[in-house]
Amino acid sequence: MDPSEVEFLAEKEVVKIIPNFSLDKIYLIGGDLGPFNPGLPVDVPVWLALNLKQRQKCRIVPPEWMDVEKLEEIRELERKEDTFTPVPSPYYMELTKLLLNHASDNIPKADEIRTLVKDIWDTRIAKLRLSADSFISQQEAHAKLDNLTLMEINTTRSFLLDTLNCMYKLRSNLQPGSKYISDVV
Amino acid sequence: MFITDIRKEFYDVVVNQRVALLVSSEIDALCACKILQALFHCDQVQYTLVPVTGWQDLGTAFLEHKEQFRCFVLINCGANVDLLETLQPEEDSIFFICDTHRPVDVVNVYNDTQVKLMIKQDDDLGVPSYDDIFRDEEEEGGNDSGNESDGGSEPSGKRRRYDEGEVERRIERQRATREWEARRREILFDYEQYEYHGTSAAMVIFELAWVLTKDTKDMLWWAIIGLTDQLVHDKITHMKYVTDIATLQRHVSRHNHRNEDEDNSLSIDCMRISFEYDLRLALYQHWSLFESICNSSYTSCNFKLWSMHGQKKLQEFLADMGLPLKQVKQKFNSMDMSVKENLREVIEESSNKYGMKDIRIQTFGVHFGFKNHFLASDVVHATAALLESTEKDDSPGDNFIKALDCLSRSNLERLHGGIDLAKKKLMAIQQTVASCICTNLILSQGPFLYCYLLEGTPDVKLFSKPMALTLLCKYLLKAFVRSTRNKRCKLLPLIIAAPMDVEKRTVIVLGIPPESETSDKKNFFGRAFEKAAESTSSRTLHDHFDTSIIELKMEDRTKFLDALITLLS
């Protein structure tokens, strides 16, 4: 899967905006949105929020978890635990990037948030790499990965699967029997 | 017709239609175009952008697009000539003109249907009143023909008495008409004699954005650049500049207070505009201080840096400030912090001693990211250099697009490229000025000064473009006024001619008003050039939107000049 596809899926998440125009309820295939009244917060998917923001028709309210203290706590928790801790949102990385690129003037302390989210990401990816490494070296049959987000899985998916395929081929080559060799080739 | 409510009469009309944007090739127009494009993107208006460099371009662009578009928006072109006469549009074409060229042609002002001017009426326009210039011609003709037919059918006796009365009245009417016409000619002559510039187009369009509450810091920055362009190319008086800076300063404070307070500081990547009372040295933060002092017209003319004496004075000046030569000659960013700290105040104090009272000027600067800091004048110089770049492969359309791109924040390499080109241009100007003064190339022709750049002059290709030539001309006049001892010559205007196109053997001729402290920047050369060209039937092309810039065949140069001399003396 391409990272841009993951970002596309992340854009379906809901975020709160404060529009400056008025519009009646709109009926889209994915669901109903609105009605929009100036100054009153309304929940919309991220793709619409970003489009409206770029056309200067709304102000984006940062999600609750996008706050310096909360993210600091999550980061400390992540660093202490060996396994993966629950994430603030299943698409936390993509949402941070999208919102901070397009609406950083609506989000207070944007630079610190960016640094904190990057720290959390780095810690989790490091744990993922360690886990993958031990999985392969100790030839375990299964691993338990709770609380991983799609983007993190995506970073390691192609590499891990290719590696496991290669190892399977190498191992099955060591087995006696010509039919396996012909299979492999 | 003047537009009073720019939102209802312009934007609401235009937002539902496809629009053709015809933009003149100058920085102010580019900035206004950028702001308008941003507004159009917000509201998803379909538009076509056409850069135009002169009246012929405007005509061809109009012909190409008149089938498909009803609404035309003209930026910095079209106000000072009778537009309907020149373009011959259909009945339903509407023209919205946002132009700084004054005086606005009277037909454009009094046309109620097709020509809408986005110009504030409190800009001192001095348009003559309607009755002074226009009069119903029909009554005249009707009465005369009516009288003649009456005269023919009456019996002769009565007719004679009737005729005498009639004849007297007709003579009276004709005399009144002649008087009225003479007064009209005089009024129009006074009105159209001097050419000058009004409020920046970028500022007018920014006000539109503000009224729509869609103004952003980017748009405010472009408005600032538009105003600074008028200052750098000496199009407006200092008073007007200061007034406009005050207006923009209010907008800047409004934007700065909107988002920032103690707890929630803005991300470093956001654009921050700040008011600066900064030095009048071109590009000094992207160059070394020494180079910048040598190549800025203000300092160079005050020190007379084309002479040895001037160079020595400069060294004294630097020593007086306590700035070591090694520091001053290296890139500004690499100078020691201790030297940079109070640089502006130190320079101001010392320059007061050397007779440069206003080395500091009010302007704005912008910060975004950690290392990007630009002053408005830096961006103006860079964009002007890109717009008029004389590299071999660049067509005017390409240059326009490149210059337009360098105004947006995401194209920083282009901006830096422009700054490098601008440095070369400023150095070329400095060297040309030095050589002209030292070889006494400026001659007094009686009512004006005249300078001709020969074809072999280095960098003469740069000066075939109007903006670069204007800068050179103004710099040259300032330098000449400083270096000459002849008191009368100091009050004369300057005409400069430079080769424009070598194959077609044409020169570009430009005239600027005399240099003075309280100059009102009003230029009378437009009309003078027209009259001189007519009287000698020289082959000229009055293509540029500024009527004081024309193209002339090389062979007709001498007779054109002679005609000018007789005209102006």
Side-chain angles (χ1 to χ4, degrees), chain A residues 58-73:
Chain A
C58 76
R59 190 162 68 83
I60 296 189
V61 175
E64 284 165 4
W65 53 265
M66 206 178 264
D67 169 61
V68 173
E69 281 104 25
K70 292 210 181 92
L71 287 174
E72 272 178 354
E73 278 175 28

Side-chain angles (χ1 to χ4, degrees), chain B residues 288-291 315 324-331:
Chain B
S288 71
L289 195 56
F290 186 74
E291 296 265 1
Q315 306 282 358
L325 213 58
K326 220 174 87 157
Q327 288 286 333
V328 155
K329 285 198 178 164
Q330 63 175 336
K331 261 181 82 87

